[in-house]
Amino acid sequence: MVKVSRVEEKSIAEELGIQPGTELLTVNGRPVADFLDWEFLTADEELVIEARQPDGEDVIYELERLDGEPLGISLQPPSVRRCANKCEFCFIEGLPPGLRKPLYIRDDDYRLSFAYGNFATLSNVKERDIERILEYRLSPLYVSVHATNHEARKILLNNQRVPDIKAQLSRLTEGGIQFHAQMVIVPGLNDEEVLEESLTDLWNMGDAVLSAAVVPVGLTQFSHLYTGKGMDRDTARTILIQVERWGERANRERGQTWVFGSDELYMLAERELPGAEHYGEFAQIENGVGSVTSLRMRVSQGLGRVVRRDGQRIGVVTGLAMAPVMEPLLEHLREASGADFKLIVAQNSLFGPTITTAGLLVGKDINEDGIFLDDYTLEAVRESLPMPIFPSYDFIDVLESESSGVLA
Ligand code: SF4
């Protein structure tokens, strides 16, 4: 059963008398268990919907609609499937105490993988779920493979009952499902031969594997489960050599890089990041793969649109990892705008100094010297500081706007 949260004005749903709070029970005789069922079962043109109104009365709606005409119904958010693993490197286990509750939810949900690109391990996927994935053609999925070697994966996920990912993926790929894969690398556990085996297995799945990302383990000062080695510069370099060798092969044989080291892996290895051509369509940019290169690209393409700001002083706050990348970008922005940019490197006060990415900086890092967010709202941060604050995606979005002309 799913519940209606909102009904759009003048929509089919409003005409039928469907109200917020209505429970949607079946569509064309098939039970509706969640938003996926709803979305796929209502793709037909002729629908018979069994529902229960908020007052408890059961109703049957029969309707016919033109192809693609929306029903005008929003559903209440789905309950998230919890994770069955207990990875030592779990970032959620590495969160400090006292944050808001939803941040501690360890989700592992193939439905959200399809709908929003969240990575899922498929550890909690049952036969019925596989059948749904195949029937509804939930593709592409985003899969945390970590290792295709079954024994290594059991250790990595700290779950003796984890299904064999190779068998799961083979079944899905035979049914036409494609996926993006990621491997979070724990030195000594799934690098070297284990990584080689994973990349070989994924490569052998052919077109079904759209991309593979190799990401270094990220630990905070609260990662209490972790007993493995940390990721140092030399390990990161060795992993990158292996990844790039596969990338070269993929370019030769398939005309695309296919496997990517994450930006963080390049930074840990103290290696220059590749250019835009390396990343093709930036398939895993949300996973920190190519985001720095994409930022450089957007800045360079947007410089011509920057408004002159001679004499203004602009502080740019970032985490430790991005500091070396930022300076050359700010130099271009100085030239294009005439403003005086000052880079403010904030150490992460919540997660500890090992967390160096700007995206995880928090509100308490914002004082006279620095900026960013945790449970602080942007408004609270603005109120606590004497200067105007502009969140920015790529600098250009703020600097091209005349309305942000009072930056200093
Ligand atoms: S799969 Fe591992 S890393 Fe992901 S939420 Fe579960 S325990 Fe944490």
Side-chain angles (χ1 to χ4, degrees):
M1 177 274 288
V2 292
K3 228 178 207 184
V4 175
S5 68
R6 206 166 65 85
V7 174
E8 276 171 37
E9 278 178 33
K10 301 193 180 109
S11 64
I12 298 177
E14 191 184 57
E15 270 174 41
L16 289 171
I18 296 177
Q19 310 156 35
T22 299
E23 294 173 0
L24 305 162
L25 308 172
T26 67
V27 173
N28 293 344
R30 289 187 59 180
V32 180
D34 61 17
F35 70 96
L36 275 184
D37 285 334
W38 175 253
E39 194 167 317
F40 285 86
L41 297 175
T42 55
D44 290 347
E45 287 176 21
E46 288 177 27
L47 301 174
V48 178
I49 301 171
E50 284 184 80
R52 183 161 300 141
Q53 290 181 332
D55 61 8
E57 190 188 336
D58 288 343
V59 213
I60 295 178
Y61 300 106
E62 289 187 44
L63 63 125
E64 196 172 336
R65 60 178 178 157
L66 298 173
D67 192 21
E69 196 181 355
L71 290 174
I73 286 176
S74 304
L75 302 179
Q76 289 187 356
S79 57
V80 169
R81 286 209 182 186
R82 303 299 172 101
C83 168
N85 311 311
K86 207 157 175 58
C87 308
E88 286 194 8
F89 56 83
C90 181
F91 196 79
I92 294 175
E93 292 293 334
L95 290 175
L99 301 179
R100 58 185 181 275
K101 280 197 182 135
L103 292 176
Y104 296 102
I105 295 174
R106 291 187 297 133
D107 70 283
D108 196 8
D109 196 327
Y110 70 91
R111 303 168 310 168
L112 304 184
S113 174
F114 170 70
Y116 305 114
N118 294 12
F119 275 92
T121 66
L122 308 185
S123 301
N124 53 6
V125 161
K126 305 276 182 296
E127 178 56 28
R128 190 181 110 63
D129 300 313
I130 299 268
E131 283 166 12
R132 284 181 101 199
I133 294 172
L134 295 172
E135 183 191 350
Y136 293 160
R137 302 197 63 76
L138 304 184
S139 180
L141 293 175
Y142 290 76
V143 182
S144 286
V145 172
H146 300 325
T148 53
N149 181 293
H150 191 44
E151 291 308 310
R153 197 163 190 262
K154 280 193 218 167
I155 297 171
L156 279 159
L157 301 186
N158 212 353
N159 180 359
Q160 286 303 308
R161 293 167 45 172
V162 70
D164 183 346
I165 189 76
K166 254 168 77 176
Q168 285 184 305
L169 293 178
S170 300
R171 173 109 189 267
L172 293 175
T173 57
E174 278 160 19
I177 304 299
Q178 294 180 299
F179 61 95
H180 297 275
Q182 76 159 347
M183 266 79 61
V184 172
I185 302 295
V186 176
L189 277 187
N190 61 340
D191 53 351
E192 301 181 348
E193 317 81 64
V194 180
L195 178 59
E196 195 63 21
E197 187 180 334
S198 301
L199 292 174
T200 306
D201 287 336
L202 293 173
W203 178 260
N204 289 340
M205 290 180 196
D207 292 348
V209 186
L210 296 167
S211 72
V214 176
V215 180
V217 62
L219 303 169
T220 77
Q221 60 183 342
F222 301 96
S223 298
H224 59 104
L225 295 175
Y226 194 72
T227 57
K229 294 185 217 156
M231 177 71 71
D232 59 19
R233 186 191 64 173
D234 290 346
T235 312
R237 284 185 178 177
T238 307
I239 295 168
L240 268 181
I241 290 169
Q242 194 175 0
V243 167
E244 287 177 344
R245 184 169 40 74
W246 273 98
E248 281 160 22
R249 176 178 176 186
N251 267 311
R252 264 194 325 273
E253 296 183 22
R254 294 190 186 162
Q256 51 165 315
T257 310
W258 181 72
V259 59
F260 307 90
S262 71
D263 293 1
E264 203 185 346
L265 192 62
Y266 277 90
M267 288 178 190
L268 281 166
E270 296 174 15
R271 287 265 319 273
E272 184 48 53
L273 286 146
E277 66 294 342
H278 177 83
Y279 295 103
E281 292 177 2
F282 289 85
Q284 293 214 28
I285 193 166
E286 298 296 332
N287 198 17
V289 176
S291 39
V292 170
T293 298
S294 164
L295 174 67
R296 284 174 172 158
M297 216 167 66
R298 291 195 308 272
V299 168
S300 112
Q301 288 166 354
L303 285 174
R305 303 199 304 274
V306 164
V307 173
R308 290 300 296 180
R309 295 171 191 281
D310 297 276
Q312 290 188 7
R313 290 166 58 228
I314 304 174
V316 172
V317 180
T318 190
L320 217 56
M322 282 295 281
V325 170
M326 284 296 176
E327 262 310 340
L329 284 181
L330 296 190
E331 195 47 50
H332 291 306
L333 295 172
R334 269 182 205 111
E335 276 171 34
S337 68
D340 175 16
F341 284 86
K342 184 172 183 315
L343 187 64
I344 302 161
V345 181
Q347 182 170 300
N348 198 304
S349 63
L350 184 63
F351 294 100
T354 54
I355 295 300
T356 56
T357 56
L360 292 170
L361 285 177
V362 293
K364 283 181 186 157
D365 297 319
I366 303 172
N367 48 36
E368 319 76 80
D369 300 322
I371 313 187
F372 262 138
L373 297 176
D374 49 4
D375 255 356
Y376 278 52
T377 62
L378 181 60
E379 270 328 297
V381 172
R382 282 183 162 139
E383 279 166 20
S384 70
L385 290 167
M387 73 286 278
I389 303 291
F390 295 88
S392 170
Y393 178 57
D394 58 11
F395 301 118
I396 304 296
D397 51 359
V398 174
L399 296 173
E400 71 182 350
S401 163
E402 294 284 353
S403 61
S404 53
V406 284
L407 281 168

